[in-house]
């Protein structure tokens, strides 16, 4: 009789999740010269290991900011230079004593003429006042 022993890994457990629904990044009073708008939203999913439990909140904030930067690089390759509507979801996972963050960042790309104001991800205060634990 042959026994096949499989090495079982402990699965990642969801500890916390926060989401920001689609939010317009510009309003009517913003004088934008829109040349083109993407037909569909662009989405990127990015995963990060959290180094220290004590710096988890800061690392969650940095993960969302970095994810937006990565998505911006992707839309630049397609000829767009801004996101008209943005949303994100962050999920914190734990496996034994290890933590991991997954960020899904979404946006509707557009090409705009002229100089654009520097944008940050919307509603980052959600991560500042609530712990990402």
């Amino acid at each position: 009789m042959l026994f096949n022993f499989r090495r079982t890994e402990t699965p990642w457990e969801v500890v916390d999740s926060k989401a920001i629904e689609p939010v317009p990044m510009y309003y009517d009073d913003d004088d934008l010269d829109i040349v083109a708008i993407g037909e569909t939203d662009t989405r990127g999913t990015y995963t990060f290991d959290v180094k220290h439990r004590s710096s988890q909140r800061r690392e969650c904030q940095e993960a969302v900011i970095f994810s937006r930067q990565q998505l911006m690089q992707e839309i630049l390759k397609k000829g767009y230079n801004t996101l008209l509507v943005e949303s994100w979801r962050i999920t914190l996972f734990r496996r034994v004593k290890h933590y991991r963050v997954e960020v899904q960042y979404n946006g509707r790309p557009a090409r705009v003429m002229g100089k654009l104001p520097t944008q940050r991800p919307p509603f980052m205060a959600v991560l500042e006042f609530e712990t990402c634990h």
Side-chain angles (χ1 to χ4, degrees):
M1 181 181 264
L2 200 55
F3 291 100
N4 186 7
F5 292 104
R6 288 190 208 171
R7 186 175 152 204
T8 58
E9 288 189 28
T10 306
W12 287 96
E13 163 190 11
V14 174
V15 177
D16 195 8
S17 181
K18 306 249 185 278
I20 300 301
E21 295 299 318
V23 175
M25 299 304 289
Y26 303 97
Y27 293 94
D28 291 336
D29 57 349
D30 294 330
D31 193 23
L32 293 179
D33 186 12
I34 300 174
V35 178
I37 299 176
E39 292 181 12
T40 60
D41 287 350
T42 300
R43 181 176 71 179
T45 301
Y46 311 96
T47 305
F48 309 90
D49 288 324
V50 177
K51 303 288 183 212
H52 303 287
R53 175 98 167 109
S54 61
S55 63
Q56 208 167 50
R57 181 183 299 167
R58 181 181 49 78
E59 289 190 43
C60 287
Q61 293 168 352
E62 290 172 358
V64 172
I65 291 169
F66 182 80
S67 297
R68 183 183 191 279
Q69 292 169 347
Q70 291 299 111
L71 193 65
M72 289 299 295
Q73 287 180 6
E74 289 299 313
I75 68 164
L76 285 171
K77 293 177 189 174
K78 297 175 183 174
Y80 300 107
N81 62 353
T82 193
L83 295 169
L84 295 179
V85 176
E86 296 182 29
S87 64
W88 53 265
R89 172 181 301 279
I90 187 168
T91 306
L92 180 65
F93 297 95
R94 175 180 59 209
R95 180 167 66 188
V96 188
K97 292 184 179 182
H98 301 282
Y99 289 87
R100 179 172 284 173
V101 171
E102 179 184 89
V103 178
Q104 291 181 352
Y105 209 98
N106 302 295
R108 176 63 56 106
R111 185 170 52 245
V112 176
M113 299 298 287
K115 187 174 183 193
L116 293 168
T118 304
Q119 296 282 355
R120 286 180 44 91
F123 298 106
M124 287 295 290
V126 167
L127 299 177
E128 292 172 8
F129 296 113
E130 295 184 35
T131 58
C132 181
H133 76 291

